[in-house]
Amino acid sequence: MTTADQGSDDANDVGTRLKAVRLLRNISQRELAKRTGVTHSSLSLIEQGKVSPSVSSLKKILDGIPITVGEFFTLDLQNTDQIFYTADELQDVGSGSLSLKLVGYNRKNRAMSFIIETYPPGVDTGHDMMAYRGEEAGVVIEGEVELIVGAQCRLLKEGDSYYFSTTQPHRFRNISDQPCRIVSCSTPAKHF
């Protein structure tokens, strides 16, 4: 290992990236030192940008994570997608009085739809049954809802859940006099 020039961005980039990858994989410096045979103090100096590892030393360290040198330098550590959402940041993609609050509406390449659904009394997903390629699962967290999937019909109450292939025609309907809330997830992501 060589001592890095104080102004060297390369050493700082490698050290900052190494620390981020190590923390992402939930590995302590001491654990990584034990896995690689590189001293804990050397790892600390690298992560602080005070020492620049040789290519062979970096490969030895990365083998302990494990991650390839190529993955190490191309891993997106600056993910700009929003992670946390307040209640008022959820996009309502429902219609009429049916509220469908979609978590992660603004995420690029969203792979699933995670929704907080609110059905006031008498409200349903429409007269026609829905069907599309994918799967859906959910849990009733308040009230009750009638769920029809194909030829099966069930009144689901608080705490009850479901999981089905959405290729089967289905429909949700609140037949009670109380609001119903469901937390659901479906794939592939619906783009409203």
Side-chain angles (χ1 to χ4, degrees):
M1 295 188 200
T2 61
T3 303
D5 181 330
Q6 290 295 337
S8 172
D9 288 338
D10 290 342
N12 288 329
D13 288 346
V14 169
T16 301
R17 181 169 281 277
L18 178 60
K19 182 176 182 178
V21 169
R22 180 180 58 75
L23 293 173
L24 185 66
R25 299 289 174 93
N26 201 24
I27 303 170
S28 70
Q29 277 185 349
R30 291 191 188 285
E31 175 61 27
L32 187 55
K34 190 185 332 177
R35 290 181 185 184
T36 63
V38 175
T39 66
H40 174 257
S41 60
S42 293
L43 287 173
S44 179
L45 291 172
I46 292 168
E47 288 185 1
Q48 293 172 42
K50 294 180 179 175
V51 170
S52 180
S54 65
V55 173
S56 61
S57 294
L58 180 60
K59 184 176 179 339
K60 183 177 182 181
I61 293 167
L62 297 180
D63 285 346
I65 291 181
I67 186 173
T68 68
V69 174
E71 290 169 329
F72 175 74
F73 284 109
T74 59
L75 186 64
D76 180 12
L77 298 174
Q78 300 297 322
N79 188 338
T80 57
D81 283 332
Q82 184 174 352
I83 296 172
F84 303 104
Y85 297 84
T86 61
D88 61 336
E89 289 178 308
L90 300 182
Q91 180 77 30
D92 192 341
V93 295
S95 61
S97 56
L98 173 59
S99 173
L100 301 174
K101 301 259 180 130
L102 178 60
V103 178
Y105 181 82
N106 58 349
R107 289 184 67 92
K108 299 175 283 203
N109 304 318
R110 189 167 36 85
M112 65 179 166
S113 294
F114 189 80
I115 301 175
I116 302 167
E117 306 177 28
T118 304
Y119 296 81
V123 170
D124 58 34
T125 53
H127 180 69
D128 296 330
M129 303 273 274
M130 303 177 287
Y132 48 89
R133 186 183 61 80
E135 294 183 319
E136 183 170 336
V139 61
V140 178
I141 59 173
E142 179 184 329
E144 53 189 46
V145 68
E146 178 187 72
L147 173 56
I148 302 168
V149 180
Q152 297 183 51
C153 180
R154 174 81 55 96
L155 182 64
L156 300 173
K157 298 180 179 187
E158 187 175 320
D160 292 342
S161 56
Y162 58 88
Y163 190 116
F164 62 92
S165 169
T166 54
T167 57
Q168 299 177 72
H170 57 281
R171 177 180 181 213
F172 293 84
R173 183 169 66 149
N174 183 350
I175 57 176
S176 77
D177 60 357
Q178 299 295 316
C180 174
R181 288 182 15 117
I182 298 171
V183 174
S184 69
C185 184
S186 62
T187 61
K190 297 175 199 164
H191 296 281
F192 299 91

